[in-house]
Amino acid sequence: MSRTKGDEEEYWNSSKFKAFTFDDEDDELSQLKESKRAVNSLRDFVDDGDDDDDLERVNWSGEPVGSISWTIKETAGNSGPTQEGREPKNRNSFSYGQLPKPTSTYSLSSFFKGRTRLGSFQSLSDALSDTPAKSYAPELGRPKGEYRDYSNDWSLCDTVRRLRKGKVCSLERFRSLQDKLQLLEEAVSVHDGNVITAVLIFLKRTLSKEILFRELEVRQVALRHLIHFLKEIGDQKLLLELFRFLDRTEELALSHYREHLTIQDPDKRKEFLKTCVGLPFSAEDTAHIQDHYTLLERQIIIEANDRHLESAGQTEIFRKHPRKASILNMPLVTTLFYACFYHYSEPEGTFSSPINLKKTFKIPDKQYVLTALAARAKLRAWHDVDALFTTKNWLGYTKKRAPIGFHRVVEILHKNNAPVQILQEYVNLVEDVDMKLNLATKFKCHDVVIDTCRDLKDRQQLMAYRGKVDKGSAEEEKIDTILSSPQIRWKN
């Protein structure tokens, strides 16, 4: 249909498109063409991967290539149906995938919907069309910087330096024995235990045991690190072989003895300890091993007997105070406390007698009295506590004596809520006057404080203490009687 000249002018003036002019610098079509040429020039930079190893590669969405989110999107994109006629991608070459169509029709990304089969860009009309297109992120090669730690030929010094910084560094390039030993010496020279251990793990994996032991025998620093490492990881077999090679019999025996910790069954552990008694320990260690075996043997007997008594329910001590745990594999002091708590009055001939344990394992008097006091005070057996400190001389006179000091006896008794009368009795037995006053004041043993101040003839201290007792109490009356006595010559 033909149009008049007026109609054409009206059409061009009313259209949202402008007429094409060469002088219009703001023309959007010229901007798009210029953008296309600029983007084409980017290919030279993207394809040149040799000089950009230190730059982080990103896809067109701004996410680093190889990141988790990029991998998920790429996998999701590739899992969809393949377009007809699409050629498979070459993973070693760069390609531009089709990207989602943005909101703006004239955006730069609209030119990057993909290449044609021959590798040329789509036409402007195709780029501006509404044909749906599948999105693909560009597959970029892995930067060479990621391979440097594995492929480059690092020197000994550089390798150790990188290990000290915690960087990944392959040690597989050190293949000869000489290179491996030089690497170990370089690691020892920097005095870094982590580096030494890392190199020793590599040598342990790549050298035979005979060669490794032979070379470490003359390198004591590295040898100590290896022994500590084997103990930490629990490689008991290799540790025994190492001690056997070095002819270190005592350490070999101690290392063998440690294996009892892995045996849970008491009877099997006892039999294992029996085999350890004859190992080449020092004289002191041999006595400890023998005591350990004897103690476990006693514990097995005591445990079986007490379990039977407790289940029968006929023994008063087990009814009032049920056992909270088994006695098996407990330390000697715990076993002594257990015996003083449940078997205190048993004759010396029984295995569970505290006196029998004391003599068998040569427990010192201080340790025995301290343990027995704690056990009997917990049961509030004050008669046993009194008998524990009562001794007779050759004339038959009784006297109280405490190898641990009566001040400690008072503290243990107070901790177990002993009555004031019993506390006062033992506070009075403290020889040091100042300590006696402090304990009596702390535990409110009023009679002891009043009598001590009277004996010291300290009027001021007695008057000061009068304000600490209850008004109208027997203690206040006693203080008033002493203060008004004309027979006492006060010092102050």
Side-chain angles (χ1 to χ4, degrees):
M1 183 175 107
S2 62
R3 295 177 180 174
T4 63
K5 184 176 180 181
D7 294 334
E8 291 181 354
E9 291 178 354
E10 182 182 358
Y11 170 79
W12 287 108
N13 291 330
S14 62
S15 175
K16 63 179 180 180
F17 295 98
K18 293 182 180 180
F20 178 82
T21 58
F22 290 96
D23 297 331
D24 191 356
E25 296 180 355
D26 296 331
D27 180 59
E28 293 181 354
L29 181 60
S30 63
Q31 292 180 10
L32 292 175
K33 289 183 178 181
E34 191 68 22
S35 298
K36 180 178 179 181
R37 286 193 294 271
V39 171
N40 286 333
S41 65
L42 291 176
R43 295 178 54 194
D44 297 333
F45 295 95
V46 175
D47 292 339
D48 188 7
D50 296 334
D51 298 329
D52 293 339
D53 289 337
D54 295 332
L55 299 178
E56 184 180 21
R57 301 278 175 79
V58 297
N59 65 355
W60 293 117
S61 63
E63 296 173 347
V65 175
S67 66
I68 295 177
S69 59
W70 185 89
T71 306
I72 294 174
K73 292 180 180 179
E74 174 68 5
T75 305
N78 290 336
S79 62
T82 306
Q83 294 182 4
E84 183 178 356
R86 181 181 299 273
E87 294 181 356
K89 295 182 180 180
N90 185 1
R91 301 188 62 88
N92 296 326
S93 62
F94 298 113
S95 62
Y96 295 94
Q98 296 177 347
L99 298 181
K101 185 176 180 180
T103 304
S104 175
T105 307
Y106 300 103
S107 64
L108 175 63
S109 61
S110 62
F111 283 97
F112 285 87
K113 287 192 174 183
R115 289 182 178 180
T116 62
R117 186 177 299 274
L118 298 178
S120 61
F121 285 92
Q122 294 175 339
S123 63
L124 178 61
S125 60
D126 294 335
L128 298 177
S129 65
D130 294 333
T131 305
K134 186 177 179 180
S135 299
Y136 286 92
E139 294 189 0
L140 304 181
R142 185 188 296 271
K144 290 184 178 180
E146 297 186 16
Y147 297 100
R148 288 180 178 175
D149 289 339
Y150 305 97
S151 61
N152 286 23
D153 191 13
W154 297 101
S155 64
L156 288 171
C157 183
D158 290 336
T159 301
V160 173
R161 177 175 54 83
R162 291 179 66 83
L163 288 175
R164 291 189 69 184
K165 293 182 178 180
K167 294 184 178 181
V168 178
C169 187
S170 175
L171 304 180
E172 300 298 331
R173 58 173 293 269
F174 300 100
R175 300 190 178 185
S176 68
L177 178 60
Q178 182 180 1
D179 290 343
K180 293 176 181 178
L181 295 179
Q182 289 178 353
L183 177 64
L184 178 61
E185 292 174 356
E186 184 69 24
V188 172
S189 66
V190 299
H191 307 290
D192 191 313
N194 293 331
V195 177
I196 297 173
T197 303
V199 175
L200 286 172
I201 294 174
F202 169 67
L203 298 183
K204 174 178 172 289
R205 181 170 54 85
T206 57
L207 292 178
S208 64
K209 291 181 291 187
E210 293 76 11
I211 296 177
L212 178 63
F213 296 164
R214 184 190 66 202
E215 297 298 337
L216 291 182
E217 188 176 10
V218 295
R219 295 171 174 83
Q220 291 298 313
V221 175
L223 177 61
R224 289 195 296 270
H225 277 78
L226 179 62
I227 292 174
H228 179 75
F229 172 71
L230 294 177
K231 289 180 179 179
E232 288 294 321
I233 66 174
D235 193 345
Q236 199 69 19
K237 181 179 179 182
L238 186 60
L239 190 61
L240 292 175
E241 292 179 0
L242 176 59
F243 286 143
R244 192 174 292 110
F245 176 86
L246 299 173
D247 197 24
R248 291 161 65 162
T249 56
E250 187 174 342
E251 291 184 69
L252 176 64
L254 288 173
S255 181
H256 179 72
Y257 168 69
R258 287 188 61 187
E259 291 187 17
H260 83 273
L261 298 173
T262 63
I263 304 175
Q264 301 299 327
D265 184 79
D267 293 317
K268 292 182 179 179
R269 179 179 286 197
K270 184 190 73 172
E271 295 302 322
F272 178 82
L273 291 175
K274 188 175 182 179
T275 63
C276 295
V277 173
L279 295 178
F281 292 101
S282 63
E284 183 179 2
D285 290 338
T286 300
H288 288 317
I289 301 298
Q290 180 65 55
D291 286 345
H292 190 178
Y293 168 75
T294 305
L295 178 62
L296 182 57
E297 186 179 35
R298 294 281 185 92
Q299 289 174 345
I300 293 174
I301 297 174
I302 296 173
E303 176 67 20
N305 183 61
D306 288 358
R307 190 187 298 115
H308 174 72
L309 293 175
E310 188 176 23
S311 61
Q314 298 178 358
T315 306
E316 182 180 2
I317 185 66
F318 290 110
R319 290 200 310 268
K320 291 183 176 180
H321 305 279
R323 299 188 310 154
K324 296 181 179 180
S326 171
I327 193 62
L328 295 175
N329 300 318
M330 291 296 178
L332 177 59
V333 175
T334 307
T335 307
L336 178 62
F337 181 90
Y338 179 92
C340 291
F341 194 91
Y342 289 106
H343 305 280
Y344 189 72
S345 59
E346 289 186 4
E348 184 180 339
T350 60
F351 284 152
S352 55
S353 169
I355 300 298
N356 190 307
L357 290 173
K358 179 179 182 295
K359 292 184 176 181
T360 301
F361 297 100
K362 299 179 177 60
I363 300 175
D365 289 341
K366 288 185 178 181
Q367 183 66 65
Y368 176 80
V369 170
L370 190 64
T371 306
L373 172 62
R376 303 317 294 174
K378 192 174 185 66
L379 288 171
R380 305 181 66 83
W382 310 123
H383 177 74
D384 293 337
V385 171
D386 186 70
L388 189 62
F389 301 106
T390 302
T391 58
K392 289 184 179 181
N393 59 12
W394 62 281
L395 293 176
Y397 294 104
T398 60
K399 182 181 180 181
K400 281 189 168 55
R401 185 179 65 87
I404 60 175
F406 282 108
H407 63 285
R408 295 194 66 184
V409 175
V410 172
E411 292 174 353
I412 295 174
L413 291 176
H414 178 265
K415 184 178 180 180
N416 289 276
N417 302 317
V420 177
Q421 294 80 5
I422 295 177
L423 280 177
Q424 289 186 153
E425 180 183 355
Y426 286 95
V427 169
N428 272 322
L429 295 174
V430 177
E431 295 181 359
D432 187 89
V433 177
D434 292 334
M435 184 178 293
K436 180 193 295 185
L437 280 173
N438 290 335
L439 290 173
T441 305
K442 179 180 178 181
F443 300 134
K444 296 182 180 181
C445 298
H446 301 307
D447 289 339
V448 177
V449 177
I450 295 171
D451 293 341
T452 303
C453 291
R454 181 198 59 195
D455 296 339
L456 293 174
K457 300 179 181 180
D458 192 339
R459 181 184 180 88
Q460 292 183 357
Q461 188 170 355
L462 185 60
M463 292 180 64
Y465 192 75
R466 184 178 183 275
K468 297 181 181 181
V469 300
D470 297 333
K471 292 185 177 182
S473 62
E475 290 80 9
E476 187 181 45
E477 294 180 2
K478 183 177 181 180
I479 293 174
D480 292 340
T481 302
I482 293 174
L483 291 175
S484 60
S485 175
Q487 298 178 357
I488 302 176
R489 292 186 178 182
W490 301 102
K491 293 182 178 180
N492 48 31

